[in-house]
Amino acid sequence: AGKAVDWFHNDYETKSVTSGIVLANHGGHLYILTNYSKLTPEGNIKVTFHDSVSLKGEYQSCDSELNLAI
């Protein structure tokens, strides 16, 4: 999510939506590869799976030149 301003100069939050692929399951922690440009390390990350289960995600690492994040 980010911040934006509408035509009337009112602040509002925006959502970034992207997809990813599960690379590994390590002790109950899933590592998901996704687009770096859609994430911010300090932002709220919510992961929703195909069966509609949603969990809180956590930023791990990135390569901004390749536009990839875990």
Side-chain angles (χ1 to χ4, degrees), residues 16-61:
S16 291
V17 177
T18 190
S19 62
I21 185 167
V22 176
L23 295 179
N25 181 348
H26 184 15
H29 291 97
L30 298 177
Y31 291 89
I32 301 171
L33 182 67
T34 190
N35 295 353
Y36 170 72
S37 60
K38 297 288 186 170
L39 300 179
T40 56
E42 63 280 346
N44 292 327
I45 299 172
K46 181 173 115 177
V47 179
T48 304
F49 296 93
H50 69 89
D51 59 0
S52 300
V53 171
S54 292
L55 300 169
K56 182 179 185 266
E58 183 178 300
Y59 172 88
Q60 294 294 311
S61 185

